[in-house]
Every structure is written in structure tokens, then in C-alpha cells.
Amino acid sequence: MAAFDPGSVLAQMQCGVAVVGANLRVEWANDRLRTLLGCDGEPAGRLVADAFPVPDMPARVTDVLDTGAVQRDVMLERVAGPRRDYVRCTLSLLGEGDRRRVLIKVDPVTQLERYRIANQVRHFATPSATQMANLVDGLHAILWEAEVPVTTRPRDADQPWRLTFVSQRAEEMLGYPLFQWFTEEGFWASHIHPDDRETVLAAYRRVLVARKGREIEYRMRSAEGHWVWVLDRVQALVDKQGRVNGLRGMMLDTTERRRAEERLKRTEARHRQFFENAPFGIFRATRQGRFATANPALAAMLGYGLAVELAGVDLGADVFRDPAALESLLAAADGKGIVEGVEVQWYARDGRPLRVRLSGRVVAVSAVGPPEYELIAEDVTEKRQLEERLRQSQKMEAIGQLAGGVAHDFNNILTVINGYAALAARGPYAPEQAAEAFAGILDAGERAAALTRQLLAFSRKQVLEPRLLSLRDL
């Protein structure tokens, strides 16, 4: 069989060309192929798997020999110094019968095509490429890789990294087309928030130096102009010689979480401000009758300078006038779950009596531990004193009205007594007339005595003598 001679036309082509025989060895290759593949030696004579390091290249060559079908866009990663690049291979049948060969045409890819190759070929050049690509693109995170020249000292690097892979989710999360990540110089660093940039770059450098993964959270500007919080879980990549040659990361969108945290912080700040500045006492008590926490208003109510001083105070022994009242209060709260306007008597630190109205609820601190009690304490001492003074004032007013009525009644009685006494003093009278006058005086005296008894009963200074009455006699 004559040796295969590809001719001068193939030798002069600007693309790389190789001819592979049925034995899966490269029979011929032009000089351009060696340049494109970055081979150290001559490709001719090598097995196709060695000359074209694509996992399924031998199977592809065999398929073309068997079926004659052209296979296009077979991507091959090549090493060009410290950088990686890609070439596109096209396989077609050359010759017939025993002279069948496979012509492999190799072309360089353009700069704009590299983003697609990096995302779909370098990482997924396997029989399960479609499934893997779908899995990565389905993640709610940006997966990325970047290579770092091994000649660069990590601690001196100011993002000399070249992105080699960015997952499709980047377009959805930040809005930029993928090719922009690869073709725009310094794209990633330039889109970090200015306030975060130096700190973030330093953090990535520390990952390269320490060779340990870490989480870095920062803001990136989206295509729409707003800031997106990302949490990047990044790790250093090490080659077989133990040199750091890249970074790999997974960016999660934490914007909503950060917003929720900010809302929570603002809410907690408002609650803390309300707790600290409330004009009434707020505290939480344990089931053992100790203060778990208290606000300044409660400390002032009890005569303490600082709320922290209440930490060692026993409610039953030091605050409640009747320790049994505390136990009764907590037991009732355990049963109902709430405390509604219960008035109790307290002692302040200096011994002053206080009347306090308590309201609150039972709080479960843990699933197995005893509950605690959140209570609001309102000092109603002054209010009750005012109410008592009002009652006394109303009582005095009633007594004044009563005194006026009594004076009127006594005046009537005295008029009768004085009238009969005057008549008796003029005498002499017949016995019947004298008896009538003295009977009038006696009746008026009895009415005066009855009125006096009523007054004593009203003032509660006379013991009442209940007696049976017949309604028929009334």
C-alpha cells in the first residue's frame, strides 16, 4: 500500500491539519498544528489520544471512519505558556475503502467565543456534559474559576487572575452577558463596591497565600445599577507540583438576607429604645422569682440606680410585701398564660410601700426548661392615694350635708322642747295641761336620742343591735 501523501495544499493551510489512520495514529501533520496545540515534539506518529487530549477523541475518530459523518466543534484545551486556551477541531472522512483516513482540521477560537468554550467545554467535555451543564446552570449560585499564573507570588497579586469559567446564573443574578466577564479587562474587580474593593482583594490574596477556603461577603454592581450582596465561598486550586494556580468559588445572592438582617436590626433597635425609655417598668422574671432583665424605669421605681443592680434581687423576699402573693401570681399566669391588671403591694429599696399593677404573659424560653414571665409594672401608688383622698373628700361632703340636715332636725326638736318648757314655766296649770306639756318634752327628747343613735351608727362608733320587725307593723 502506497504511503499517504496529503500534498502541498494541506501543508500550506493557515489552520492546523492532521491525518489519522485506521490504527488511530497521526500519519501526517502540518507545522501550524504543532503551533496551535503547543506540542513539544512532532505530532506525526503519535496516537491520536496523545496528540489530541480530548477524553473521547479516539471514539470520535472511529465513528467518522465507520459512518463518514462529520463532527464539528470538538473543543480542545491547550496550554500556551502560563495560560490556557482553546481550539476547535472538525473531523471529516478522507479517502475510501482501505485508504480511508480522518482529516482533523484545527482552528483557533476568537476572543468572544472563549466565554462559551470556558463554560461549556472545559468543564463539561465528558459523555455526561449535558447533565452536568444543566446541573450547574440550575444552581441558584454563580460557579466560577480563575487561573493565577504560577510565576506570580500570591501575596503580591492584585487580581492577575483570568476567569476561565463562569456559570450561566451570572447573567440572571447580575444582568451582564457572560462574554463581558471574560473580555472586559478587570471586569470582576471593577464591579465590586468601592468601599469593599480593597478589603475583598486582600481577602482573595489571603486565600492564595494560606491555601485555605473562606467565605467573603461583599457588594457587586448589577447591570441595572443597584448593589447586590454576594457571599463567595472561595478556595485555592493547587497543581500536581503543589503550586497555587487558580481560584474556585461559588457566589450566593445574599441581598434578601442582608435586607432582612437590616430590617431585624432596625426593629431590635426600636424595641430596645422602647424598652430603655419606657416610662413604666418592664421586666422578665424567672420561675424562681429572680429578675432576668429589667429596664431603667423599673430600677428607678424600686429605688435602684442601675437596672443591672436588680440581677441579685429576690422578688419574693425583697420586693413583694407578701411572698405568697408572688407565688399566687405566677401560678395563675401558668394556668392562663397571661397576667391581666393584677394589683400587688411592693416595697421599694428604702422601705417605701408601693402599689403596683402588673400585666404580661408567660414566655417559653426553651422546649424543656421552665418558662419566664414578661411583665409590665405600673406604679399606681399615687393614683390610689389620690383616689383615697377623693373618697375622704366625698365623705366629708356627705358628712357636711348630713350635719346640715341634723342641725335642721335638732332645731325642730329644740323648738318643741323649748315651747313646751316655756308653757310649763308660766304655770300653774291643771294637771292635765302640765302632763301634756311634759309628754311633748319627753317625746322630743326621745326623737333627739334616736337621731343621736343614727349619727353614731353612721360614724360606726355604736354597736348595732339587730332586731326582728314585722312588716305588718310598719
Side-chain angles (χ1 to χ4, degrees):
M1 182 181 296
F4 180 80
D5 183 10
S8 60
V9 176
L10 295 179
Q12 294 176 7
M13 292 180 68
Q14 295 300 312
C15 60
V17 177
V19 176
V20 181
N23 59 359
L24 300 181
R25 285 188 179 274
V26 178
E27 296 182 355
W28 181 88
N30 65 356
D31 293 337
R32 180 62 173 161
L33 178 70
R34 185 168 56 187
T35 302
L36 288 175
L37 296 182
C39 298
D40 295 333
E42 178 64 42
R46 296 184 180 183
L47 288 172
V48 69
D50 296 332
F52 298 88
V54 176
D56 55 352
M57 184 61 83
R60 290 177 179 274
V61 171
T62 301
D63 184 68
V64 173
L65 289 170
D66 291 343
T67 66
V70 177
Q71 295 200 20
R72 296 181 175 86
D73 295 331
V74 179
M75 297 303 176
L76 171 65
E77 180 182 358
R78 70 185 182 92
V79 178
R83 297 167 63 90
R84 291 185 178 89
D85 211 336
Y86 303 91
V87 293
R88 179 189 291 106
C89 303
T90 303
L91 287 68
S92 57
L93 185 64
L94 184 67
E96 297 179 354
D98 294 339
R99 297 179 61 83
R100 284 181 302 173
R101 304 289 189 273
V102 173
L103 178 70
I104 300 179
K105 178 173 170 286
V106 180
D107 295 294
V109 297
T110 65
Q111 183 73 9
L112 291 178
E113 289 177 304
R114 288 195 176 97
Y115 87 93
R116 181 176 62 84
I117 300 168
N119 285 277
Q120 297 180 0
V121 177
R122 178 175 180 269
H123 288 264
F124 307 123
T126 65
S128 59
T130 303
Q131 294 91 330
M132 186 63 70
N134 291 338
L135 175 63
V136 170
D137 290 338
L139 293 175
H140 291 280
I142 301 174
L143 301 183
W144 62 272
E145 277 192 8
E147 64 178 13
V148 178
V150 295
T151 57
T152 303
R153 290 190 305 169
R155 61 173 53 87
D156 297 331
D158 186 11
Q159 203 222 333
W161 318 314
R162 186 174 74 93
L163 287 169
T164 58
F165 175 77
V166 178
S167 65
Q168 193 71 31
R169 183 64 62 176
E171 290 190 351
E172 179 181 330
M173 187 181 297
L174 294 173
Y176 301 101
L178 282 184
F179 74 83
Q180 195 170 347
W181 288 71
F182 299 97
T183 60
E184 184 177 314
E185 189 70 24
F187 171 85
W188 170 74
S190 65
H191 287 77
I192 298 175
H193 195 287
D195 294 344
D196 302 340
R197 187 173 296 128
E198 291 303 319
T199 302
V200 171
L201 291 177
Y204 281 97
R205 286 194 290 269
R206 285 194 293 272
V207 171
L208 291 172
V209 173
R211 302 186 179 191
K212 291 183 178 180
R214 65 180 299 170
E215 292 185 348
I216 307 170
E217 192 166 17
Y218 54 93
R219 291 163 288 181
M220 290 192 71
R221 187 174 66 249
S222 71
E224 296 178 352
H226 61 264
W227 295 105
V228 177
W229 278 97
V230 297
L231 177 65
D232 200 358
R233 294 171 177 164
V234 61
Q235 62 184 25
L237 300 178
V238 182
D239 62 17
K240 294 180 180 179
Q241 287 74 38
R243 299 172 300 182
V244 175
N245 65 353
L247 290 168
R248 175 183 295 149
M250 180 174 69
M251 290 183 184
L252 301 171
D253 185 349
T254 58
T255 306
E256 286 303 318
R257 192 203 72 192
R258 293 293 297 233
R259 289 174 180 170
E261 289 176 350
E262 289 298 322
R263 290 193 295 268
L264 180 60
K265 287 180 181 178
R266 290 194 295 269
T267 301
E268 289 178 345
R270 288 195 296 268
H271 289 172
R272 172 56 59 180
Q273 185 178 19
F274 171 76
F275 180 79
E276 295 291 340
N277 299 326
F280 42 81
I282 304 175
F283 67 98
R284 178 179 283 194
T286 66
R287 193 63 181 83
Q288 292 73 34
R290 296 280 180 174
F291 285 106
T293 184
N295 70 339
L298 185 72
M301 182 190 304
L302 293 174
Y304 292 85
L306 298 173
V308 293
E309 297 181 62
L310 293 173
V313 175
D314 188 319
L315 278 161
D318 304 325
V319 177
F320 273 75
R321 182 178 298 183
D322 180 8
L326 171 62
E327 182 57 34
S328 176
L329 175 74
L330 298 183
D334 290 337
K336 298 174 60 178
I338 58 173
V339 176
E340 296 181 294
V342 177
E343 288 196 13
V344 295
Q345 293 181 331
W346 281 5
Y347 280 122
R349 188 180 192 180
D350 57 6
R352 289 179 294 109
L354 299 173
R355 195 164 187 86
V356 179
R357 180 166 58 196
L358 298 176
S359 299
R361 60 173 185 157
V362 181
V363 179
V365 180
S366 65
V368 295
E372 292 186 352
Y373 307 85
E374 286 184 348
L375 297 169
I376 295 176
E378 182 185 0
D379 185 355
V380 296
T381 306
E382 185 176 355
K383 180 179 180 180
R384 295 295 176 259
Q385 290 173 347
L386 290 174
E387 290 174 351
E388 182 62 26
R389 285 200 290 269
L390 177 61
R391 282 194 296 271
Q392 290 296 330
S393 175
Q394 291 172 339
K395 186 175 180 179
M396 292 304 296
E397 182 180 357
I399 291 175
Q401 294 176 352
L402 177 63
V406 169
H408 180 72
D409 288 347
F410 261 108
N411 184 61
N412 292 338
I413 294 171
L414 291 175
T415 299
V416 173
I417 293 174
N418 291 335
Y420 279 115
L423 291 175
R426 292 177 183 177
Y429 289 100
E432 296 83 5
Q433 294 176 331
E436 182 180 354
F438 288 123
I441 293 172
L442 186 59
D443 180 63
E446 288 178 351
R447 284 193 286 120
L451 182 58
T452 302
R453 285 194 297 271
Q454 291 176 0
L455 289 174
L456 291 174
F458 180 80
S459 65
R460 297 183 182 178
K461 292 184 178 180
Q462 181 187 28
V463 178
L464 298 180
E465 298 179 357
R467 57 193 179 92
L468 297 175
L469 291 177
S470 175
L471 296 179
R472 296 176 182 176
D473 298 335
L474 296 179

